[in-house]
């Protein structure tokens, strides 16, 4: 199975769903419309492609890109052919919600809870979407880039020592 074969199979089945594609480090990466991500993943799992292992789900935050501020990234794997694919979907912060994959992959349960906990992304249809690692009363999502990484008032550091 090659990147070109899988890309052609997906774009043939879902011509309007694929926003963009690239192959960094020979790793097929597709950006999929948010409303179609579950259909595409379901097809990858149940079609002849047999991409049947969900390796990871994670979130990402691009605060400088308002229309694509929040993203969910899925890593999938065909264990028989060792083919891997990455699917990304992006949304605004106000609409940070995608369909849950727990009915397709049981392992998605904890991955979606972790992504919800750290990024605040809601997963529609998740059976038990609540925080998993942080305290319930934390009040914010720690992986969102809302705060400066360093204290700008510190005078005891020289950034030249850190290559900045």
């Amino acid at each position: 199975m090659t990147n070109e074969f899988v890309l052609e199979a997906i774009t043939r089945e879902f011509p309007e769903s694929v926003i963009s594609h690239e192959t960094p480090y020979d790793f097929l990466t597709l950006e999929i419309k948010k409303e179609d991500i579950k259909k595409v993943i379901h097809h990858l799992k149940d079609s002849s492609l047999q991409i049947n292992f969900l390796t990871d789900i994670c979130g990402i935050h691009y605060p400088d890109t308002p229309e694509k501020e929040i993203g969910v990234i899925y890593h999938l794997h065909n264990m028989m052919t060792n083919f891997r694919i990455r699917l990304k979907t992006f949304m605004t912060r106000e609409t940070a919600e995608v369909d849950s994959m727990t009915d397709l992959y049981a392992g998605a349960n904890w991955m979606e809870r972790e992504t919800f906990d750290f990024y605040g992304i809601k997963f529609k249809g998740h059976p038990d979407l609540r925080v998993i690692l942080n305290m319930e009363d934390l009040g914010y999502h720690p992986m969102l880039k809302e705060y400066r990484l360093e204290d700008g008032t510190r005078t005891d550091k020289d950034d030249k020592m850190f290559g900045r």
Side-chain angles (χ1 to χ4, degrees):
M1 196 163 12
T2 65
N3 289 338
E4 294 78 18
F5 176 79
V6 174
L7 177 61
E8 195 274 324
I10 294 171
T11 54
R12 183 175 6 96
E13 189 71 26
F14 303 99
E16 302 296 320
S17 299
V18 178
I19 296 171
S20 66
H21 63 86
E22 58 184 341
T23 54
Y25 304 103
D26 201 34
F27 190 11
L28 181 59
T29 303
L30 304 175
E31 183 181 342
I32 306 291
K33 289 182 180 177
K34 178 178 96 163
E35 57 274 5
D36 297 337
I37 191 73
K38 186 164 188 169
K39 291 188 293 190
V40 172
I41 291 175
H42 189 271
H43 176 74
L44 289 173
K45 181 180 182 196
D46 290 342
S47 69
S48 61
L49 299 173
Q50 295 181 346
I51 300 176
N52 51 14
F53 184 74
L54 176 65
T55 306
D56 190 27
I57 298 174
C58 60
I60 193 160
H61 184 211
Y62 293 119
D64 297 332
T65 314
E67 67 280 355
K68 291 185 174 184
E69 185 174 0
I70 299 287
V72 180
I73 302 169
Y74 300 87
H75 290 107
L76 301 151
H77 189 185
N78 178 323
M79 301 293 266
M80 300 299 287
T81 62
N82 198 29
F83 180 80
R84 298 169 191 267
I85 186 169
R86 177 187 302 129
L87 302 177
K88 298 178 179 182
T89 188
F90 293 96
M91 61 216 79
T92 63
R93 187 141 176 212
E94 294 77 30
T95 62
E97 182 176 65
V98 294
D99 291 322
S100 175
M101 300 297 160
T102 54
D103 56 333
L104 299 176
Y105 299 100
N109 189 327
W110 287 72
M111 294 181 217
E112 289 177 355
R113 285 180 64 186
E114 179 185 42
T115 304
F116 167 70
D117 194 3
F118 285 130
Y119 291 93
I121 301 166
K122 294 181 178 77
F123 291 88
K124 291 185 286 191
H126 191 281
D128 187 22
L129 193 61
R130 57 189 166 98
V131 297
I132 191 170
L133 296 170
N134 292 314
M135 298 177 301
E136 290 184 27
D137 59 346
L138 186 62
Y140 66 96
H141 303 285
M143 294 299 286
L144 294 177
K145 299 173 185 168
E146 298 178 314
Y147 307 102
R148 292 176 46 102
L149 291 177
E150 298 179 20
D151 183 0
T153 63
R154 286 186 62 179
T155 58
D156 60 332
K157 284 179 58 181
D158 185 359
D159 278 350
K160 289 184 285 186
M161 296 179 164
F162 299 100
R164 295 175 265 193

